mmCIF file of all heavy atoms in Angstrom:
data_model
loop_
_atom_site.group_PDB
_atom_site.id
_atom_site.type_symbol
_atom_site.label_atom_id
_atom_site.label_comp_id
_atom_site.label_asym_id
_atom_site.label_seq_id
_atom_site.Cartn_x
_atom_site.Cartn_y
_atom_site.Cartn_z
ATOM 1 N N ALA P 1 -16.522 -13.384 9.864
ATOM 2 C CA ALA P 1 -15.661 -12.321 10.362
ATOM 3 C C ALA P 1 -16.399 -11.468 11.398
ATOM 4 O O ALA P 1 -15.831 -11.097 12.432
ATOM 5 C CB ALA P 1 -15.180 -11.449 9.202
ATOM 6 N N ARG P 2 -17.658 -11.175 11.115
ATOM 7 C CA ARG P 2 -18.447 -10.406 12.084
ATOM 8 C C ARG P 2 -18.603 -11.178 13.387
ATOM 9 O O ARG P 2 -18.586 -10.590 14.482
ATOM 10 C CB ARG P 2 -19.824 -10.095 11.501
ATOM 11 C CG ARG P 2 -19.820 -9.089 10.353
ATOM 12 C CD ARG P 2 -21.240 -8.892 9.833
ATOM 13 N NE ARG P 2 -21.281 -8.041 8.661
ATOM 14 C CZ ARG P 2 -21.350 -6.714 8.675
ATOM 15 N NH1 ARG P 2 -21.383 -6.098 9.853
ATOM 16 N NH2 ARG P 2 -21.398 -6.013 7.557
ATOM 17 N N ALA P 3 -18.726 -12.500 13.270
ATOM 18 C CA ALA P 3 -18.948 -13.329 14.459
ATOM 19 C C ALA P 3 -17.757 -13.314 15.405
ATOM 20 O O ALA P 3 -17.920 -13.490 16.614
ATOM 21 C CB ALA P 3 -19.263 -14.763 14.041
ATOM 22 N N VAL P 4 -16.546 -13.087 14.873
ATOM 23 C CA VAL P 4 -15.362 -13.062 15.731
ATOM 24 C C VAL P 4 -14.938 -11.633 16.066
ATOM 25 O O VAL P 4 -13.834 -11.397 16.555
ATOM 26 C CB VAL P 4 -14.180 -13.818 15.078
ATOM 27 C CG1 VAL P 4 -14.507 -15.291 14.939
ATOM 28 C CG2 VAL P 4 -13.803 -13.212 13.730
ATOM 29 N N GLY P 5 -15.814 -10.675 15.787
ATOM 30 C CA GLY P 5 -15.576 -9.307 16.230
ATOM 31 C C GLY P 5 -14.985 -8.361 15.221
ATOM 32 O O GLY P 5 -14.627 -7.236 15.569
ATOM 33 N N VAL P 6 -14.867 -8.758 13.954
ATOM 34 C CA VAL P 6 -14.332 -7.871 12.927
ATOM 35 C C VAL P 6 -15.439 -6.925 12.460
ATOM 36 O O VAL P 6 -16.533 -7.370 12.110
ATOM 37 C CB VAL P 6 -13.784 -8.673 11.726
ATOM 38 C CG1 VAL P 6 -13.308 -7.726 10.630
ATOM 39 C CG2 VAL P 6 -12.659 -9.583 12.165
ATOM 40 N N ASP P 7 -15.164 -5.631 12.470
ATOM 41 C CA ASP P 7 -16.129 -4.636 12.003
ATOM 42 C C ASP P 7 -16.010 -4.552 10.479
ATOM 43 O O ASP P 7 -15.228 -3.766 9.936
ATOM 44 C CB ASP P 7 -15.836 -3.279 12.651
ATOM 45 C CG ASP P 7 -16.950 -2.270 12.408
ATOM 46 O OD1 ASP P 7 -17.711 -2.461 11.449
ATOM 47 O OD2 ASP P 7 -17.049 -1.289 13.176
ATOM 48 N N ALA P 8 -16.783 -5.375 9.801
ATOM 49 C CA ALA P 8 -16.664 -5.507 8.353
ATOM 50 C C ALA P 8 -16.980 -4.197 7.639
ATOM 51 O O ALA P 8 -16.267 -3.802 6.703
ATOM 52 C CB ALA P 8 -17.589 -6.620 7.849
ATOM 53 N N ARG P 9 -18.018 -3.520 8.055
ATOM 54 C CA ARG P 9 -18.404 -2.273 7.381
ATOM 55 C C ARG P 9 -17.318 -1.212 7.532
ATOM 56 O O ARG P 9 -17.002 -0.488 6.577
ATOM 57 C CB ARG P 9 -19.728 -1.766 7.940
ATOM 58 C CG ARG P 9 -20.301 -0.587 7.155
ATOM 59 C CD ARG P 9 -21.671 -0.182 7.677
ATOM 60 N NE ARG P 9 -22.263 0.828 6.837
ATOM 61 C CZ ARG P 9 -22.944 0.597 5.729
ATOM 62 N NH1 ARG P 9 -23.125 -0.642 5.324
ATOM 63 N NH2 ARG P 9 -23.472 1.583 5.020
ATOM 64 N N ARG P 10 -16.738 -1.131 8.721
ATOM 65 C CA ARG P 10 -15.672 -0.149 8.941
ATOM 66 C C ARG P 10 -14.460 -0.464 8.073
ATOM 67 O O ARG P 10 -13.860 0.443 7.471
ATOM 68 C CB ARG P 10 -15.269 -0.145 10.414
ATOM 69 C CG ARG P 10 -14.145 0.827 10.742
ATOM 70 C CD ARG P 10 -13.854 0.834 12.235
ATOM 71 N NE ARG P 10 -12.698 1.654 12.553
ATOM 72 C CZ ARG P 10 -11.445 1.243 12.498
ATOM 73 N NH1 ARG P 10 -11.189 -0.020 12.151
ATOM 74 N NH2 ARG P 10 -10.439 2.056 12.788
ATOM 75 N N MET P 11 -14.073 -1.749 7.984
ATOM 76 C CA MET P 11 -12.931 -2.132 7.176
ATOM 77 C C MET P 11 -13.157 -1.785 5.709
ATOM 78 O O MET P 11 -12.276 -1.226 5.040
ATOM 79 C CB MET P 11 -12.664 -3.632 7.317
ATOM 80 C CG MET P 11 -12.126 -4.066 8.670
ATOM 81 S SD MET P 11 -10.521 -3.349 9.054
ATOM 82 C CE MET P 11 -9.577 -3.855 7.638
ATOM 83 N N LYS P 12 -14.343 -2.104 5.212
ATOM 84 C CA LYS P 12 -14.643 -1.806 3.808
ATOM 85 C C LYS P 12 -14.657 -0.307 3.552
ATOM 86 O O LYS P 12 -14.179 0.168 2.513
ATOM 87 C CB LYS P 12 -15.989 -2.419 3.428
ATOM 88 C CG LYS P 12 -15.975 -3.932 3.298
ATOM 89 C CD LYS P 12 -17.327 -4.442 2.824
ATOM 90 C CE LYS P 12 -17.309 -5.937 2.576
ATOM 91 N NZ LYS P 12 -18.604 -6.436 2.051
ATOM 92 N N THR P 13 -15.200 0.446 4.501
ATOM 93 C CA THR P 13 -15.269 1.903 4.322
ATOM 94 C C THR P 13 -13.882 2.518 4.282
ATOM 95 O O THR P 13 -13.600 3.381 3.438
ATOM 96 C CB THR P 13 -16.089 2.536 5.464
ATOM 97 O OG1 THR P 13 -17.405 1.962 5.472
ATOM 98 C CG2 THR P 13 -16.197 4.042 5.278
ATOM 99 N N VAL P 14 -13.008 2.079 5.190
ATOM 100 C CA VAL P 14 -11.642 2.606 5.218
ATOM 101 C C VAL P 14 -10.932 2.314 3.896
ATOM 102 O O VAL P 14 -10.280 3.201 3.310
ATOM 103 C CB VAL P 14 -10.857 2.017 6.405
ATOM 104 C CG1 VAL P 14 -9.365 2.327 6.280
ATOM 105 C CG2 VAL P 14 -11.397 2.561 7.722
ATOM 106 N N VAL P 15 -11.052 1.089 3.410
ATOM 107 C CA VAL P 15 -10.401 0.712 2.149
ATOM 108 C C VAL P 15 -10.999 1.504 0.991
ATOM 109 O O VAL P 15 -10.273 2.001 0.116
ATOM 110 C CB VAL P 15 -10.550 -0.809 1.906
ATOM 111 C CG1 VAL P 15 -10.144 -1.173 0.479
ATOM 112 C CG2 VAL P 15 -9.696 -1.578 2.895
ATOM 113 N N TYR P 16 -12.309 1.669 0.979
ATOM 114 C CA TYR P 16 -12.991 2.376 -0.106
ATOM 115 C C TYR P 16 -12.543 3.841 -0.154
ATOM 116 O O TYR P 16 -12.254 4.387 -1.226
ATOM 117 C CB TYR P 16 -14.494 2.279 0.089
ATOM 118 C CG TYR P 16 -15.307 2.710 -1.103
ATOM 119 C CD1 TYR P 16 -15.344 1.938 -2.255
ATOM 120 C CD2 TYR P 16 -16.057 3.885 -1.077
ATOM 121 C CE1 TYR P 16 -16.098 2.318 -3.348
ATOM 122 C CE2 TYR P 16 -16.815 4.280 -2.160
ATOM 123 C CZ TYR P 16 -16.829 3.492 -3.293
ATOM 124 O OH TYR P 16 -17.568 3.888 -4.388
ATOM 125 N N LEU P 17 -12.472 4.485 1.009
ATOM 126 C CA LEU P 17 -12.058 5.886 1.055
ATOM 127 C C LEU P 17 -10.584 6.034 0.680
ATOM 128 O O LEU P 17 -10.201 6.973 -0.029
ATOM 129 C CB LEU P 17 -12.301 6.467 2.447
ATOM 130 C CG LEU P 17 -13.767 6.583 2.903
ATOM 131 C CD1 LEU P 17 -13.843 7.185 4.296
ATOM 132 C CD2 LEU P 17 -14.579 7.417 1.926
ATOM 133 N N ALA P 18 -9.749 5.113 1.157
ATOM 134 C CA ALA P 18 -8.319 5.180 0.845
ATOM 135 C C ALA P 18 -8.068 5.008 -0.655
ATOM 136 O O ALA P 18 -7.286 5.754 -1.259
ATOM 137 C CB ALA P 18 -7.552 4.121 1.631
ATOM 138 N N THR P 19 -8.749 4.046 -1.268
ATOM 139 C CA THR P 19 -8.557 3.829 -2.702
ATOM 140 C C THR P 19 -9.126 4.989 -3.508
ATOM 141 O O THR P 19 -8.589 5.331 -4.563
ATOM 142 C CB THR P 19 -9.209 2.513 -3.157
ATOM 143 O OG1 THR P 19 -10.592 2.499 -2.781
ATOM 144 C CG2 THR P 19 -8.516 1.319 -2.529
ATOM 145 N N ALA P 20 -10.208 5.607 -3.021
ATOM 146 C CA ALA P 20 -10.754 6.774 -3.704
ATOM 147 C C ALA P 20 -9.750 7.917 -3.702
ATOM 148 O O ALA P 20 -9.552 8.600 -4.719
ATOM 149 C CB ALA P 20 -12.059 7.210 -3.038
ATOM 150 N N PHE P 21 -9.095 8.138 -2.558
ATOM 151 C CA PHE P 21 -8.098 9.204 -2.458
ATOM 152 C C PHE P 21 -6.932 8.960 -3.414
ATOM 153 O O PHE P 21 -6.559 9.848 -4.195
ATOM 154 C CB PHE P 21 -7.575 9.306 -1.023
ATOM 155 C CG PHE P 21 -6.395 10.229 -0.872
ATOM 156 C CD1 PHE P 21 -6.562 11.600 -0.905
ATOM 157 C CD2 PHE P 21 -5.112 9.713 -0.719
ATOM 158 C CE1 PHE P 21 -5.472 12.460 -0.789
ATOM 159 C CE2 PHE P 21 -4.019 10.560 -0.595
ATOM 160 C CZ PHE P 21 -4.198 11.935 -0.631
ATOM 161 N N ILE P 22 -6.377 7.756 -3.387
ATOM 162 C CA ILE P 22 -5.213 7.472 -4.230
ATOM 163 C C ILE P 22 -5.597 7.491 -5.702
ATOM 164 O O ILE P 22 -4.857 7.999 -6.554
ATOM 165 C CB ILE P 22 -4.583 6.124 -3.849
ATOM 166 C CG1 ILE P 22 -4.156 6.135 -2.380
ATOM 167 C CG2 ILE P 22 -3.375 5.827 -4.731
ATOM 168 C CD1 ILE P 22 -3.667 4.792 -1.864
ATOM 169 N N THR P 23 -6.780 6.970 -6.037
ATOM 170 C CA THR P 23 -7.252 6.992 -7.424
ATOM 171 C C THR P 23 -7.474 8.421 -7.889
ATOM 172 O O THR P 23 -7.161 8.772 -9.039
ATOM 173 C CB THR P 23 -8.548 6.176 -7.560
ATOM 174 O OG1 THR P 23 -8.314 4.828 -7.135
ATOM 175 C CG2 THR P 23 -9.042 6.165 -8.992
ATOM 176 N N GLY P 24 -8.016 9.275 -7.008
ATOM 177 C CA GLY P 24 -8.203 10.680 -7.356
ATOM 178 C C GLY P 24 -6.882 11.391 -7.593
ATOM 179 O O GLY P 24 -6.747 12.202 -8.518
ATOM 180 N N VAL P 25 -5.881 11.100 -6.757
ATOM 181 C CA VAL P 25 -4.541 11.666 -6.957
ATOM 182 C C VAL P 25 -3.981 11.214 -8.301
ATOM 183 O O VAL P 25 -3.414 12.017 -9.059
ATOM 184 C CB VAL P 25 -3.603 11.256 -5.806
ATOM 185 C CG1 VAL P 25 -2.157 11.613 -6.136
ATOM 186 C CG2 VAL P 25 -4.017 11.940 -4.509
ATOM 187 N N ALA P 26 -4.129 9.920 -8.604
ATOM 188 C CA ALA P 26 -3.631 9.396 -9.878
ATOM 189 C C ALA P 26 -4.340 10.060 -11.056
ATOM 190 O O ALA P 26 -3.698 10.425 -12.054
ATOM 191 C CB ALA P 26 -3.824 7.877 -9.933
ATOM 192 N N GLY P 27 -5.660 10.231 -10.960
ATOM 193 C CA GLY P 27 -6.407 10.887 -12.032
ATOM 194 C C GLY P 27 -5.950 12.316 -12.246
ATOM 195 O O GLY P 27 -5.766 12.763 -13.393
ATOM 196 N N ALA P 28 -5.774 13.048 -11.149
ATOM 197 C CA ALA P 28 -5.303 14.432 -11.268
ATOM 198 C C ALA P 28 -3.917 14.482 -11.887
ATOM 199 O O ALA P 28 -3.635 15.333 -12.747
ATOM 200 C CB ALA P 28 -5.298 15.086 -9.884
ATOM 201 N N LEU P 29 -3.027 13.568 -11.475
ATOM 202 C CA LEU P 29 -1.670 13.539 -12.016
ATOM 203 C C LEU P 29 -1.682 13.213 -13.506
ATOM 204 O O LEU P 29 -0.946 13.822 -14.303
ATOM 205 C CB LEU P 29 -0.838 12.513 -11.249
ATOM 206 C CG LEU P 29 0.610 12.334 -11.692
ATOM 207 C CD1 LEU P 29 1.376 13.644 -11.598
ATOM 208 C CD2 LEU P 29 1.294 11.257 -10.848
ATOM 209 N N ILE P 30 -2.515 12.266 -13.905
ATOM 210 C CA ILE P 30 -2.616 11.892 -15.322
ATOM 211 C C ILE P 30 -3.007 13.101 -16.164
ATOM 212 O O ILE P 30 -2.442 13.355 -17.232
ATOM 213 C CB ILE P 30 -3.635 10.753 -15.506
ATOM 214 C CG1 ILE P 30 -3.074 9.439 -14.951
ATOM 215 C CG2 ILE P 30 -4.015 10.587 -16.978
ATOM 216 C CD1 ILE P 30 -4.103 8.331 -14.829
ATOM 217 N N TYR P 31 -3.960 13.897 -15.659
ATOM 218 C CA TYR P 31 -4.449 15.017 -16.462
ATOM 219 C C TYR P 31 -3.606 16.274 -16.308
ATOM 220 O O TYR P 31 -3.747 17.208 -17.103
ATOM 221 C CB TYR P 31 -5.928 15.255 -16.182
ATOM 222 C CG TYR P 31 -6.768 14.282 -16.968
ATOM 223 C CD1 TYR P 31 -7.154 13.062 -16.424
ATOM 224 C CD2 TYR P 31 -7.093 14.536 -18.292
ATOM 225 C CE1 TYR P 31 -7.874 12.140 -17.162
ATOM 226 C CE2 TYR P 31 -7.810 13.627 -19.048
ATOM 227 C CZ TYR P 31 -8.196 12.436 -18.476
ATOM 228 O OH TYR P 31 -8.894 11.524 -19.232
ATOM 229 N N VAL P 32 -2.723 16.311 -15.323
ATOM 230 C CA VAL P 32 -1.677 17.348 -15.349
ATOM 231 C C VAL P 32 -0.741 17.069 -16.515
ATOM 232 O O VAL P 32 -0.336 17.980 -17.243
ATOM 233 C CB VAL P 32 -0.898 17.374 -14.018
ATOM 234 C CG1 VAL P 32 0.391 18.171 -14.176
ATOM 235 C CG2 VAL P 32 -1.729 17.998 -12.913
ATOM 236 N N GLN P 33 -0.418 15.804 -16.704
ATOM 237 C CA GLN P 33 0.475 15.431 -17.797
ATOM 238 C C GLN P 33 -0.210 15.608 -19.155
ATOM 239 O O GLN P 33 0.400 16.080 -20.117
ATOM 240 C CB GLN P 33 0.939 13.981 -17.609
ATOM 241 C CG GLN P 33 2.203 13.617 -18.350
ATOM 242 C CD GLN P 33 1.933 12.964 -19.691
ATOM 243 O OE1 GLN P 33 0.790 12.666 -20.044
ATOM 244 N NE2 GLN P 33 2.988 12.769 -20.457
ATOM 245 N N LYS P 34 -1.490 15.276 -19.231
ATOM 246 C CA LYS P 34 -2.229 15.440 -20.485
ATOM 247 C C LYS P 34 -2.511 16.911 -20.786
ATOM 248 O O LYS P 34 -2.529 17.319 -21.953
ATOM 249 C CB LYS P 34 -3.550 14.667 -20.426
ATOM 250 C CG LYS P 34 -3.403 13.152 -20.468
ATOM 251 C CD LYS P 34 -4.768 12.490 -20.387
ATOM 252 C CE LYS P 34 -4.665 10.970 -20.492
ATOM 253 N NZ LYS P 34 -4.282 10.518 -21.837
ATOM 254 N N ALA P 35 -2.793 17.698 -19.728
ATOM 255 C CA ALA P 35 -3.082 19.143 -19.836
ATOM 256 C C ALA P 35 -4.360 19.434 -20.617
ATOM 257 O O ALA P 35 -4.632 20.578 -20.978
ATOM 258 C CB ALA P 35 -1.907 19.893 -20.448
ATOM 259 N N ARG P 36 -5.167 18.444 -20.863
ATOM 260 C CA ARG P 36 -6.433 18.610 -21.581
ATOM 261 C C ARG P 36 -7.429 17.634 -21.004
ATOM 262 O O ARG P 36 -7.092 16.480 -20.740
ATOM 263 C CB ARG P 36 -6.233 18.347 -23.072
ATOM 264 C CG ARG P 36 -7.502 18.237 -23.898
ATOM 265 C CD ARG P 36 -8.109 19.581 -24.182
ATOM 266 N NE ARG P 36 -9.461 19.451 -24.755
ATOM 267 C CZ ARG P 36 -10.277 20.479 -25.000
ATOM 268 N NH1 ARG P 36 -9.865 21.712 -24.724
ATOM 269 N NH2 ARG P 36 -11.474 20.299 -25.510
ATOM 270 N N ILE P 37 -8.674 18.086 -20.784
ATOM 271 C CA ILE P 37 -9.671 17.215 -20.161
ATOM 272 C C ILE P 37 -11.027 17.395 -20.826
ATOM 273 O O ILE P 37 -11.345 18.468 -21.363
ATOM 274 C CB ILE P 37 -9.789 17.515 -18.646
ATOM 275 C CG1 ILE P 37 -10.486 16.367 -17.910
ATOM 276 C CG2 ILE P 37 -10.513 18.845 -18.398
ATOM 277 C CD1 ILE P 37 -10.419 16.484 -16.398
ATOM 278 N N SER P 38 -11.813 16.328 -20.829
ATOM 279 C CA SER P 38 -13.211 16.358 -21.263
ATOM 280 C C SER P 38 -13.960 15.298 -20.473
ATOM 281 O O SER P 38 -13.342 14.335 -19.995
ATOM 282 C CB SER P 38 -13.330 16.079 -22.773
ATOM 283 O OG SER P 38 -12.988 14.735 -23.059
ATOM 284 N N PRO P 39 -15.256 15.443 -20.286
ATOM 285 C CA PRO P 39 -15.997 14.458 -19.480
ATOM 286 C C PRO P 39 -15.882 13.037 -20.009
ATOM 287 O O PRO P 39 -15.697 12.096 -19.231
ATOM 288 C CB PRO P 39 -17.443 14.968 -19.544
ATOM 289 C CG PRO P 39 -17.318 16.427 -19.809
ATOM 290 C CD PRO P 39 -16.114 16.576 -20.693
ATOM 291 N N ASP P 40 -15.985 12.878 -21.323
ATOM 292 C CA ASP P 40 -15.935 11.524 -21.882
ATOM 293 C C ASP P 40 -14.578 10.869 -21.665
ATOM 294 O O ASP P 40 -14.491 9.658 -21.410
ATOM 295 C CB ASP P 40 -16.252 11.564 -23.379
ATOM 296 C CG ASP P 40 -17.709 11.891 -23.647
ATOM 297 O OD1 ASP P 40 -18.533 11.752 -22.710
ATOM 298 O OD2 ASP P 40 -18.027 12.314 -24.772
ATOM 299 N N ALA P 41 -13.508 11.636 -21.744
ATOM 300 C CA ALA P 41 -12.172 11.072 -21.548
ATOM 301 C C ALA P 41 -11.892 10.818 -20.078
ATOM 302 O O ALA P 41 -11.374 9.761 -19.704
ATOM 303 C CB ALA P 41 -11.124 12.019 -22.132
ATOM 304 N N ALA P 42 -12.227 11.778 -19.223
ATOM 305 C CA ALA P 42 -11.914 11.651 -17.796
ATOM 306 C C ALA P 42 -12.735 10.568 -17.117
ATOM 307 O O ALA P 42 -12.288 9.984 -16.124
ATOM 308 C CB ALA P 42 -12.142 12.989 -17.093
#
């Protein structure tokens, strides 16, 4: 992929940051519904 001009690191970084954002939103939403949090559970 790099040989044909694909910026592999950039693609992975974009996907990693995007999934982190959506996963963080999901985590926050889950614990709004739970209304209780602890390090071991979260």
Side-chain angles (χ1 to χ4, degrees):
R2 290 178 185 273
V4 295
V6 177
D7 191 339
R9 188 176 186 84
R10 179 177 174 275
M11 290 297 305
K12 288 184 175 183
T13 302
V14 168
V15 168
Y16 192 71
L17 294 180
T19 55
F21 171 75
I22 301 173
T23 302
V25 169
L29 179 59
I30 288 168
Y31 279 92
V32 165
Q33 201 264 354
K34 289 179 177 290
R36 169 77 191 174
I37 197 170
S38 69
D40 290 342

